[in-house]
Amino acid sequence: MPVTENESWRPKILAFCCNWCTYTGADLAGLSRMKYPADVRIIRVPCSSRVNPQFIIRAFQKGCDGVLVCGCHPGDCHYCSGNYYTRRRFMLMKRLLEYNGLDPRRFTARWISGSEAAKFRDTIIEATENIRALGPMERSPENE
Amino acid sequence: MNDAQELLRQSARRLLESGGVSLVIGWESARGSERTRPAFIRSPEEAERLVWNRHCVNSTAKYLLNYRFAAEKTAVCARDCDTRAINRMIADKQLGREQIYIIGLPCPGMENAACLRCRHRNPLVYDELIGSPAEEQDPGGRFAGVEELEALPVQERRRFWQEQFSRCIRCYACRNVCPACSCRECYADQYRTGWQGKQMNAEENRIYGLTRAYHVGDRCIECGECERVCPMGIPVMLQTGKILRDINAIYGSCECGLSSEEIPVLGSYELGDLDEFN
């Protein structure tokens, strides 16, 4: 369904944000009154390594057009080593999803620290623009 | 191979009579002289049933998990792929090395598509070896199928996998035969409304293959059994192959099942790992 047929379509982007860094960064973006599209829905997780790769698949099946996984920079994980596992996991999962036919612009992972409010804002703006250009995610009848 | 077959039967007899073994898992004839099926030999007289020929395609190792708690040891006829499966199960803490007796069999390759790609013909671990060492081959093209698919545009790949998995009937043969799939409670047997469970419909089937492949992930030993047993002819190895190819490309050469003490790639990390998520 091309975007122009339905002008009121807004992308749905799900962002998994780690509590200690990214979520704090998002909070700072809010406090600093930074403007970014309201199409993102944030799920706060204790660590980016909490994100099971199945969450990503499910998000796309249940109606999301884009998914972000954001956490602390490697080396700064609140739980010391969580994001090292995240890094390996999503390097592989991203490639596997694309291999199965997911457009690469729909899934992104990024390291955003607690003070990088501007980076959070820029990430959301970039993701929203990419998804808006791509259009809605292909749906299956089972998931309507 | 006829001599080896006789030696194998003698070993089985000996083990069952006095070797502290209560079961020998091997192959026996089925449906005429061509095909074989797994054999479970429990007495020295039955050892006559064992065969060793070019039609012994089934992997015998996975059956060991059924006999984990047997009072005596279980012997298993193991080619290289079976020994890698055994290493996999020991590494996953599903089996103890002391519970099994491995009869190693160098393998010339079976009447099986996966054998054309085989890179290891000699068993890696064994308690006794029957037959002379087989000549190794290096067929190349380990990830040829995966690379071919990667070269297609995104929409074509989506269509390809949609079409392949539309045939999936969720029989779980791929899971049952896989040595890396040994969870007591498989995610695909649970009725989990929020996640992939045993719900069967086109959308669930579309992601079943890739979800199971990711669960196996970096532990796949590339034995090819999953693809062989699929009744619908789905190229299952193209999923697990993709993950292994990426691991090889990013984290260095990786081949699983070579030892029973390897640390999986996804279960470890390096500080200097490649990072493209800036």
Side-chain angles (χ1 to χ4, degrees):
Chain A
M1 184 169 82
V3 184
T4 46
E5 271 183 15
N6 181 2
E7 290 297 348
S8 62
W9 173 73
R10 302 274 303 261
K12 281 197 190 71
I13 299 180
L14 190 62
F16 290 96
C17 295
C18 102
N19 176 63
W20 303 98
C21 282
T22 310
Y23 196 80
T24 313
D27 200 44
L28 184 60
L31 287 172
S32 317
R33 301 279 185 265
M34 293 187 179
K35 293 196 177 357
Y36 58 85
D39 301 309
V40 63
R41 283 96 164 129
I42 295 178
I43 292 185
R44 181 174 67 111
V45 290
C47 179
S48 52
S49 57
R50 170 68 181 90
V51 182
N52 185 332
Q54 284 193 71
F55 295 0
I56 316 297
I57 304 175
R58 268 296 177 251
F60 284 120
Q61 287 184 317
K62 296 299 184 190
C64 290
D65 305 300
V67 176
L68 290 168
V69 173
C70 306
C72 311
H73 287 263
D76 296 337
C77 181
H78 184 80
Y79 305 99
C80 304
S81 53
N83 54 9
Y84 292 129
Y85 294 105
T86 313
R87 182 164 59 181
R88 283 205 170 184
R89 196 181 294 163
F90 287 106
M91 289 282 279
L92 294 177
M93 191 56 176
K94 182 170 163 69
R95 284 165 170 77
L96 186 64
L97 286 173
E98 287 164 20
Y99 180 72
N100 275 273
L102 183 76
D103 195 294
R105 286 166 288 174
R106 291 200 187 269
F107 172 69
T108 321
R110 202 150 284 188
W111 312 123
I112 301 175
S113 83
S115 57
E116 290 177 327
K119 186 173 181 186
F120 179 79
R121 174 201 57 200
D122 294 338
T123 304
I124 303 297
I125 292 177
E126 184 193 324
T128 314
E129 273 167 17
N130 282 342
I131 307 295
R132 216 173 259 149
L134 279 169
M137 179 73 182
E138 299 97 334
R139 298 267 179 267
S140 292
E142 275 84 10
N143 282 319
E144 288 300 345
Chain B
M1 282 175 91
N2 275 332
D3 304 326
Q5 181 177 282
E6 194 42 52
L7 289 170
L8 179 60
R9 288 176 179 172
Q10 284 169 16
S11 282
R13 236 171 270 135
R14 190 196 78 236
L15 287 166
L16 287 163
E17 276 164 4
S18 54
V21 156
S22 59
L23 170 68
V24 178
I25 305 176
W27 301 271
E28 63 183 345
S29 271
R31 282 183 264 183
S33 64
E34 284 257 314
R35 302 181 72 152
T36 66
R37 65 180 175 218
F40 300 87
I41 310 293
R42 292 188 167 83
S43 69
E45 301 77 46
E46 289 176 18
E48 282 306 300
R49 284 170 29 206
L50 284 172
V51 298
W52 173 232
N53 57 41
R54 303 217 42 163
H55 301 284
C56 296
V57 290
N58 294 68
S59 177
T60 48
K62 188 82 191 282
Y63 293 109
L64 288 168
L65 291 186
N66 292 342
Y67 304 102
R68 268 185 271 208
F69 305 114
E72 288 188 304
K73 285 191 184 190
T74 307
V76 61
C77 301
R79 303 153 295 177
D80 173 88
C81 39
D82 303 308
T83 56
R84 276 185 297 127
I86 290 170
N87 277 339
R88 166 88 281 121
M89 293 189 289
I90 296 175
D92 290 347
K93 309 264 192 283
Q94 297 298 319
L95 204 59
R97 177 67 178 90
E98 66 287 351
Q99 294 171 294
I100 55 184
Y101 183 96
I102 305 175
I103 304 172
L105 294 162
C107 173
M110 297 292 154
E111 299 286 323
N112 182 13
C115 296
L116 295 171
R117 289 191 312 248
C118 175
R119 287 151 59 231
H120 299 276
R121 292 189 149 158
N122 294 294
L124 295 168
V125 52
Y126 49 84
D127 290 302
E128 72 178 76
L129 194 66
I130 293 184
S132 42
E135 203 185 306
E136 298 287 1
Q137 65 173 11
D138 190 8
R142 184 178 173 198
F143 298 122
V146 170
E147 280 160 12
E148 232 176 79
L149 201 49
E150 278 175 347
L152 298 176
V154 169
Q155 283 302 337
E156 298 247 346
R157 292 202 293 265
R158 190 184 167 90
R159 245 198 307 273
F160 174 81
W161 286 115
Q162 197 125 23
E163 194 250 291
Q164 293 297 328
F165 278 104
S166 65
R167 300 202 301 277
C168 178
I169 55 175
R170 303 289 284 277
C171 65
Y172 302 126
C174 53
R175 174 200 69 180
N176 291 345
V177 85
C178 175
C181 275
S182 46
C183 290
R184 272 173 239 200
E185 199 176 4
C186 176
Y187 80 97
D189 283 334
Q190 300 169 0
Y191 185 63
R192 308 193 292 165
T193 42
W195 309 107
Q196 164 137 89
K198 58 185 181 190
Q199 298 90 291
M200 182 182 168
N201 54 51
E203 182 58 28
E204 291 296 311
N205 294 356
R206 191 173 73 80
I207 58 156
Y208 167 72
L210 88 91
T211 307
R212 194 191 77 88
Y214 197 85
H215 278 222
V216 170
D218 50 347
R219 302 174 303 125
C220 173
I221 60 168
E222 300 173 86
C223 63
E225 284 286 274
C226 51
E227 209 167 271
R228 181 182 69 80
V229 300
C230 177
M232 311 309 283
I234 298 172
V236 184
M237 288 279 281
L238 287 181
Q239 292 279 2
T240 47
K242 168 63 177 168
I243 298 178
L244 283 170
R245 178 174 127 69
D246 289 337
I247 292 176
N248 272 278
I250 303 173
Y251 301 111
S253 177
C254 167
E255 207 172 350
C256 298
L258 298 179
S259 108
S260 59
E261 276 161 36
E262 48 194 30
I263 300 173
V265 159
L266 284 169
S268 57
Y269 60 86
E270 295 283 332
L271 297 185
D273 271 340
L274 186 63
D275 191 345
E276 51 186 34
F277 299 143
N278 237 348

